[in-house]
Amino acid sequence: MIQKYEAQMASSRRHFEHHPAVRKVCHDEIDSKTLEAFLIYFSALGVGMTEPVGRWIRRAGERCGTLGLSGLAKALSAHAQHEEGHHRLMEADTNHLVRLWNERHEPKLDAGELLAFDHTAGVTAYRGLHEDVIKGSSPYGQLAIEYEIEMLSVTYGPQLIDRCSRIIGKDVLLGLSFLKDHVELDVGHTKFNRLQMSKLLEEQPEFLYGLVTAGSKALSAYATFLDDCLTVARNTCN
């Protein structure tokens, strides 16, 4: 059944891969200033995407418990601990990247102001998706959300880190602690989520639709978030 999940997610993954913002940041020609600004907004706006993750997973586990999915509830509760506090890496990255930016670019930026930005469309969609899944009839969809998003770190993370180092310079690497950390961590997290989904689908094959729906919406929201970051970056550079 997990292979059916993978097959049904193929279209959404291709759509994400070819999204203009993903192509621009990861593959197409981009100037160093725009890429540097993108990283700043990715870190600053990303706090709103990352800070609630531990709570989301814990609440999803509690909801799964009410549906009688006790094994999954325990697994999610334990896993939630590993997701706490990751937003602090993004805060630290924001501060470092803003210091670098202010040494060589205009306009001058204020890290505190960026971290206080209102949620963009992508952040709002991503947070709303989690709430809808947790409160809805398919709280186990949290597995698919985490699986798809954490797989992005494994798939795109290494090449993005290398690209930033080449285009911007190696001094930017100190401001990529979140990306570097998740390239390593999310290998294990992806295996965890895949194993839990595999077990769940063996016992409840009818859950396939809810998992695919949640995973697809997660990729769509994340693509919007990346587009938000690129748009604000371009506005800053113009």
Side-chain angles (χ1 to χ4, degrees):
M1 286 299 295
I2 192 65
Q3 295 304 324
K4 288 187 176 181
Y5 171 85
E6 299 287 358
Q8 291 191 29
M9 282 300 303
S11 176
S12 294
R13 291 172 183 169
R14 283 194 302 270
H15 186 76
F16 178 89
E17 180 182 2
H18 294 289
H19 189 281
V22 177
R23 295 293 308 174
K24 188 65 176 177
V25 171
C26 295
H27 303 290
D28 295 343
E29 184 176 346
I30 186 171
D31 65 275
S32 62
K33 188 176 181 182
T34 300
L35 183 57
E36 192 171 348
F38 168 84
L39 292 175
I40 290 172
Y41 291 108
F42 173 83
S43 299
L45 299 177
V47 171
M49 306 272 282
T50 309
E51 188 273 333
V53 170
R55 296 195 300 277
W56 283 332
I57 295 174
R58 187 173 295 106
R59 288 171 55 208
E62 292 170 357
R63 285 278 291 114
C64 286
T66 66
L67 297 181
L69 303 170
S70 57
L72 178 57
K74 291 179 181 177
L76 288 173
S77 177
H79 184 56
Q81 301 176 47
H82 301 294
E83 295 291 349
E84 298 285 359
H86 289 186
H87 66 286
R88 296 191 183 94
L89 294 174
M90 295 192 119
E91 292 174 343
D93 287 345
T94 302
N95 283 294
H96 178 79
L97 292 169
V98 166
R99 282 196 297 271
L100 284 181
W101 172 277
N102 287 340
E103 288 174 2
R104 52 197 179 193
H105 298 305
E106 295 287 345
K108 302 306 180 188
L109 302 176
D110 184 295
E113 290 181 1
L114 300 186
L115 289 166
F117 262 19
D118 291 337
H119 293 156
T120 63
V123 177
T124 299
Y126 190 72
R127 292 169 69 101
L129 170 62
H130 281 83
E131 292 299 327
D132 290 344
V133 167
I134 292 168
K135 296 175 183 177
S137 60
S138 306
Y140 47 82
Q142 180 69 33
L143 282 173
I145 296 175
E146 297 301 319
Y147 181 58
E148 296 302 325
I149 299 306
E150 290 179 334
M151 195 154 50
L152 295 180
S153 299
V154 178
T155 304
Y156 293 90
Q159 68 188 57
L160 180 57
I161 291 171
D162 178 68
R163 182 170 163 87
C164 291
S165 177
R166 286 186 289 104
I167 293 176
I168 302 171
K170 293 188 182 299
D171 53 351
V172 79
L173 294 177
L174 289 176
L176 302 183
S177 64
F178 178 87
L179 280 175
K180 291 189 291 185
D181 190 67
H182 281 68
V183 165
E184 299 176 8
L185 283 179
D186 286 347
V187 172
H189 291 175
T190 298
K191 290 180 179 178
F192 166 83
N193 287 310
R194 182 182 171 87
L195 176 62
Q196 294 301 320
M197 282 201 294
S198 182
K199 290 179 179 179
L200 184 64
L201 287 170
E202 286 175 9
E203 299 171 359
Q204 307 282 355
E206 68 275 15
F207 287 177
L208 178 62
Y209 175 79
L211 290 167
V212 171
T213 299
S216 297
K217 289 183 177 180
L219 289 178
S220 177
Y222 206 84
T224 301
F225 163 67
L226 296 179
D227 190 58
D228 294 341
C229 296
L230 185 57
T231 298
V232 183
R234 284 168 167 160
N235 291 340
T236 297
C237 293
N238 291 334

